[in-house]
Amino acid sequence: MIKYLDLKQVNAPYEEEMRQAIDNVLQRGWYLKGEATRLFEEHYAAYIGTGYCVGCGNGLDALTLILRAYKEMGVLHDGDEVIAPANTYIASILAITENGLKPVLVEPDIHTLQIDDTLIEEAITERTKAMMIVHLYGRCAYTERIGEICKRYHLKLIEDNAQGHGCRYGEKRTGAIGDAAGHSFYPTKNLGALGDAGAVTTDDAQLAEVISALGNYGSRQKYVFDYQGRNSRIDETQAAVLDVKLKYLEEANAKRREIASLYINKVYHPQIVIPQSDRDSVWHIFPLLCERRDELQHYLYENGVETQIHYPIPPHQQHCYTSWNTYSFPVTERIHQEELSIPCHPAITEKEADTIVHLLNAF
C-alpha cells in the first residue's frame, strides 16, 4: 500500500538530530519560553523574512491571536467584517467568529482554487476592515490585485500560511506578504512538529508584543496582566524539533515539487483535472478534481494507493454555522464534491509516483 502520508518515513532523515535536540532540552531542564523557543523564533522569522516571529500553541491560535491583538490595539472592533475564501478549512473561519468579527465569504477561482480576486471588491462594505487570504494546498493566494484592494480600502491583510511554509510570491515568502501571518506546525505540515505548535510572523513590533502577551495569559510581566489572555505557547521540545527540520525545509519542498511536476506532466486522463503548473508552490496537498471522485478514490485504494479528501464539507454547510447553511457557493461546493488528494511528500519514490500516474491514466 502506498500510504497517503507516512510521518515516520518523512521524519526518518532527521531522527538522530531531533533526538539530540530533545536531549538538549532535557539537559537544560527548561521546558517553556526558553532557549529553544528563542532560537526557533529567530530562525523562522529570518527564513520567512519578517522582523518578528511569536510561537504559540497551534495554527488556529495563531490566527485567533492576530485578530484579537488587532482588537486590543483598536484596529478591529466587534462586528467588523473580514473577507475570507469560501473554500478554506474551518480554522480560518473559526478565528474570525471567535473574535466577534463577521466573515464575508468569497468564491475561489476554479482554475487556481484560491480566492477569486475579481469578486473581492463587490463583497466590501463600510464595515470591512481586513482580508484573510489562505495559501491553500501550499499555493500562493496573493495577487497584485489583492494588494491594491487592501491599499485602496485600508484593509489589514492577514495570511493563513498553515499550508504554505516556503511558498513564494516573487522574491517574498508567504508569511511576509501581508500585515501578519498565522502558521501551523501540525505534524502533517511541510514543516511539522511532533505535536501541536504554531506561530505568528509580522513586521509590526507592537502587534508582536501584544500577541506574545495575549498568548501568555495576557501578561508581559509575571503576575501582571494587561489583557484577558489565554495560554497558547510553543513548548521547548517542539521548538527544538522544528529548528532541526527548518534546516531541511527547502530540500523537502524541492522533492514535493519534483513529485508534483511528474503528476502534472504525465497524468492525461480527460476526466481528471490536474492543478496548473506552479514553480512557487510547495504542494502541501496535491489536489485533483474529478466528478467521479468517490469512485476514483475507491479504485485507487483497491489498487494500493491511499488518498484523502480536503475537505468534504465547506464551512458554510457545517452544523456549527447553521445560519449559513442556505447560502450558495457553487464553485466552492463543486471543489468540495470533486477534490481528491493524492500522495505528494518528500518520502514518495519516483517509482511510487509513476505507479500512481499509471493508475490515474488507466481509471
Side-chain angles (χ1 to χ4, degrees), residues 153-344:
Y153 292 94
H154 307 290
L155 307 180
K156 288 295 183 184
L157 180 59
I158 299 160
E159 299 173 72
D160 181 340
N161 201 47
Q163 300 184 3
H165 310 147
C167 184
R168 286 184 176 274
Y169 180 82
E171 295 302 310
K172 283 192 172 185
R173 285 199 174 95
T174 55
I177 297 171
D179 295 286
H183 307 253
S184 167
F185 305 121
Y186 186 74
T188 61
K189 304 300 186 185
N190 291 40
L191 180 60
L194 300 184
D196 268 325
V200 173
T201 54
T202 184
D203 281 324
D204 186 329
Q206 183 186 5
L207 182 70
E209 182 185 17
V210 175
I211 288 170
S212 180
L214 284 170
N216 189 37
Y217 297 96
S219 174
R220 292 186 177 96
Q221 178 184 347
K222 194 170 184 177
Y223 301 134
V224 177
F225 304 95
D226 298 313
Y227 312 102
Q228 296 176 31
R230 64 200 303 166
N231 177 6
S232 182
R233 302 171 296 200
I234 190 170
D235 68 66
E236 287 286 280
T237 301
Q238 301 304 339
V241 165
L242 288 167
D243 208 32
V244 168
K245 295 181 69 177
L246 179 59
K247 295 183 294 184
Y248 303 101
L249 180 56
E250 286 296 293
E251 179 184 334
N253 283 342
K255 178 64 186 230
R256 288 177 183 268
R257 291 189 184 102
E258 287 177 18
I259 299 299
S261 179
L262 191 151
Y263 292 149
I264 290 167
N265 291 324
K266 291 189 176 182
V267 175
Y268 55 76
H269 195 295
Q271 294 182 34
I272 297 174
V273 179
I274 298 293
Q276 297 173 343
S277 181
D278 182 355
R279 65 183 181 86
D280 293 321
S281 174
V282 292
W283 300 108
H284 171 63
I285 291 168
F286 192 90
L288 310 176
L289 295 182
C290 182
E291 290 184 10
R292 298 161 59 199
R293 189 262 310 279
D294 294 346
E295 186 182 342
L296 175 59
Q297 183 176 43
H298 178 73
Y299 159 80
L300 288 172
Y301 185 80
E302 289 297 304
N303 284 277
V305 178
E306 283 186 346
T307 59
Q308 288 195 14
I309 296 170
H310 295 94
Y311 303 91
I313 306 172
H316 72 278
Q317 293 181 337
Q318 295 287 352
H319 182 70
C320 62
Y321 293 118
T322 52
S323 62
W324 301 352
N325 289 172
T326 58
Y327 292 178
S328 175
F329 293 100
V331 179
T332 291
E333 289 157 21
R334 175 188 166 187
I335 293 169
H336 286 254
Q337 289 162 5
E338 297 184 8
E339 194 277 341
L340 185 67
S341 307
I342 60 175
C344 186

Side-chain angles (χ1 to χ4, degrees), residues 4-15:
Y4 176 73
L5 180 63
D6 185 336
L7 287 177
K8 183 173 176 59
Q9 192 178 10
V10 168
N11 285 323
Y14 327 119
E15 191 169 311

